[in-house]
Amino acid sequence: MIRLVLVRHAKSDWGDSSLDDHDRPLNDRGMRDAPRMAARLAASGFRPDIILSSTALRARTTAEAFAAELGAAVSLDPELYGAPASKILESAAATRAPAVMVVAHDPGMSALTARLSDDDIAHMPTCAVATFIWAQDDWDVAAVVDPDNWTFDAPR
């Protein structure tokens, strides 16, 4: 079985217009939401083999909150910053790990969740978490996104 957990970074701070987009931190809400959502995911029993994260500060900080709760290592992937859905899925599949979490940005995250959920999830708000499960142990099958080979589950 393969599990892919997609996490859109928590709410970022737009208060300092001199910062490059890549360097924007989380705002107060984001700093509260990331650990809270990480705890909810941990309560579901999910433990990733790896957490892939965009190198943007807001994504890294979100990923670190999840890593602290889930006991997993974060691997930074500069190609996830602004990545389209196909790149996000490709990066997850390239790990060959059975349980992968990806922390990245919109519009790629929303596009991927829409694709994987057959448009049941049209938008990933900040700090949203979606889990997709394939019955196969082969990322090559999962990366094709064959609707007959996956199910959708979301932490409540």
Side-chain angles (χ1 to χ4, degrees):
M1 179 172 7
I2 295 171
R3 293 179 185 264
L4 172 62
V5 173
L6 300 174
V7 178
R8 183 169 170 212
H9 66 76
K11 189 75 173 165
S12 61
D13 189 344
W14 289 84
D16 185 350
S17 61
S18 69
L19 286 177
D20 181 71
D21 179 71
H22 191 269
D23 299 326
R24 281 190 294 113
L26 296 182
N27 67 12
D28 290 341
R29 185 176 116 196
M31 293 299 286
R32 285 189 312 269
D33 287 352
R36 183 175 58 88
M37 290 303 289
R40 290 177 76 180
L41 183 61
S44 78
F46 175 74
R47 295 296 181 267
D49 296 301
I50 187 169
I51 299 173
L52 298 177
S53 176
S54 157
T55 55
L57 179 58
R58 60 194 180 275
R60 287 192 331 253
T61 306
T62 302
E64 289 164 1
F66 277 84
E69 188 69 41
L70 299 172
V74 175
S75 178
L76 298 178
D77 183 346
E79 292 186 11
L80 289 173
Y81 178 64
S86 59
K87 179 59 187 169
I88 296 168
L89 187 57
E90 177 186 310
S91 292
T95 69
R96 311 311 285 176
V100 179
M101 174 182 284
V102 179
V103 181
H105 312 268
D106 251 3
M109 293 299 277
S110 288
L112 183 54
T113 57
R115 180 176 160 194
L116 293 175
S117 71
D118 200 24
D119 290 321
D120 285 342
I121 305 171
H123 176 67
M124 290 276 287
T126 55
C127 213
V129 177
T131 302
F132 298 91
I133 303 166
W134 287 265
Q136 289 77 11
D137 291 330
D138 183 356
W139 270 104
D140 292 336
V141 172
V144 170
V145 191
D146 178 354
D148 294 330
N149 294 320
W150 59 264
T151 58
F152 171 72
D153 180 26
R156 307 237 186 266

